[in-house]
Amino acid sequence: MSSYSHPHSLDGHAAIVTGAARGVGKGIAAALLSRGARVLLTDILDDVLANTTAEFTDAGFDAVSVVADLRDGDSAQRIDAALDAFGTVDGLVNNAVASAGPIPFVDIPAEEYERVHDTGPRATFRLMQAVHPIMVKAGGGSIVNLGSAAGTVGTHSFGAYAGAKEAIRGMSKVAALEWGVDGIRVNVVCPLAETDGLKVLRDMAPKQYESVVRSTSLKRIGDPTNDIGAVVAFLLGDDAAYLTGQTLLVDGGAGSFR
C-alpha cells in the first residue's frame, strides 16, 4: 500500500480531535500533526489518551490532551484548553461516539439510544456551537464531522447508531449553509478503516471480515492515518477552501447512497 502526504499543509493550524485516544481518531490526529498542525486530543479513556499523547509528543509533535466525557453538557468548555494551549482554534474534528454494537431494532433499549445520541449528535452540536465564535474571530475555519455508511446505506442491527450519524450529517449541511458567510466550512467523512472493532471481527469471524474487504473496490480496509486522516487533513487545509457541505465516502469504493 502506498502512502501519501502533503508536508506542512497545516503549518500554523490548531485543531481539536474528539475520540482521539485510539482508532480512527488517533489516526486523524497523527495525520494532522504530521502535516504541522497543533492538536488538542480529547477522549474519555484517560490512560489510553495519556499514552497516545505521550507517543505524539515524544515524536516531536505539538499535541496536548484533555480527558472529557462528551455526555457532560459542559464538555464543550474543554475548547478553552485549546485556546490556552494554542491561542485559537481553526479546525474541529468530531469523531467520538459510543455504541454498544449490533442490536436488533426492536430490542434497542432507550438508554442505549440516548447514549449514542448524547456522545454523537448532541456532543457534535455543542462543540460546533462553542467553536463557532472562535473561528469567526480567527477569520474562518473548517469542521469535519464523522458520518457512517450505517446511516447513508443502512446497516442491519445498528438502528441507534445509524440515526445518530445521519443526525450529524443533517446538522453539518445546515451549518455549512449558514456559516459559509463566516468563512467556516463544514464537511462529513464516512470512513471504512481498520479499527479495533474490525480487528476483532478479523480475528473472531474471518469470513465476515473478508466479505467486508471484498465489498470494497480497492479490496482493502483503509488505514486510519494514511487513508482517513489524509482526507480529513485535506478538508481542514487551504487546498479545500472551496469545499463545504459535502459528504465524502472514504471507504475504498464500498459505499453508496440509497
Side-chain angles (χ1 to χ4, degrees):
M1 182 185 71
S2 62
S3 62
Y4 42 93
S5 181
H6 185 352
H8 310 298
S9 63
L10 295 178
D11 281 356
H13 288 253
I16 298 170
V17 180
T18 71
R22 62 186 182 181
V24 171
K26 180 181 179 181
I28 290 171
L32 304 187
L33 289 164
S34 68
R35 289 160 174 77
R38 299 165 292 167
V39 179
L40 171 71
L41 296 79
T42 73
D43 208 294
I44 195 172
L45 302 172
D46 50 357
D47 291 341
V48 183
L49 179 62
N51 290 336
T52 295
T53 306
E55 178 183 331
F56 288 146
T57 56
D58 289 348
F61 295 127
D62 193 349
V64 296
S65 63
V66 173
V67 177
D69 184 346
L70 296 182
R71 293 172 296 184
D72 182 352
D74 295 328
S75 62
Q77 295 178 0
R78 300 295 186 176
I79 286 175
D80 293 342
L83 293 177
D84 292 341
F86 309 137
T88 189
V89 176
D90 51 34
L92 171 64
V93 182
N94 285 300
N95 163 72
V97 67
S99 174
I103 303 174
F105 197 93
V106 297
D107 295 329
I108 298 171
E111 56 269 24
E112 171 62 10
Y113 183 90
E114 291 300 325
R115 186 172 74 108
V116 176
H117 282 72
D118 282 345
T119 56
R122 290 190 182 109
T124 297
F125 169 76
R126 287 194 294 264
L127 286 166
M128 288 173 67
Q129 282 193 330
V131 84
H132 177 265
I134 299 167
M135 289 185 172
V136 170
K137 184 177 180 180
S142 176
I143 297 172
V144 178
N145 296 325
L146 274 288
S148 174
T152 61
V153 179
T155 300
H156 189 281
S157 298
F158 279 87
Y161 183 77
K165 286 300 187 178
E166 285 296 88
I168 289 171
R169 222 162 55 87
M171 288 191 301
S172 300
K173 289 186 283 187
V174 173
L177 290 171
E178 294 185 8
W179 294 355
V181 68
D182 300 317
I184 299 172
R185 298 178 293 104
V186 186
N187 292 289
V188 175
V189 165
C190 296
L192 175 60
E194 195 74 32
T195 60
D196 290 344
L198 268 181
K199 290 176 182 177
V200 170
L201 182 68
R202 179 192 61 199
D203 296 337
M204 302 298 294
K207 290 184 178 180
Q208 188 175 349
Y209 176 85
E210 285 303 316
S211 72
V212 176
V213 175
R214 289 194 302 271
S215 73
T216 70
S217 297
L218 298 179
K219 306 307 176 190
R220 66 178 180 85
I221 306 298
D223 178 78
T225 300
N226 292 327
D227 294 319
I228 312 307
V231 173
V232 174
F234 163 71
L235 292 172
L236 292 186
D238 296 338
D239 288 341
Y242 200 56
L243 183 62
T244 192
Q246 303 303 308
T247 296
L248 282 71
L249 305 181
V250 190
D251 58 9
S256 64
F257 288 94
R258 287 181 178 155

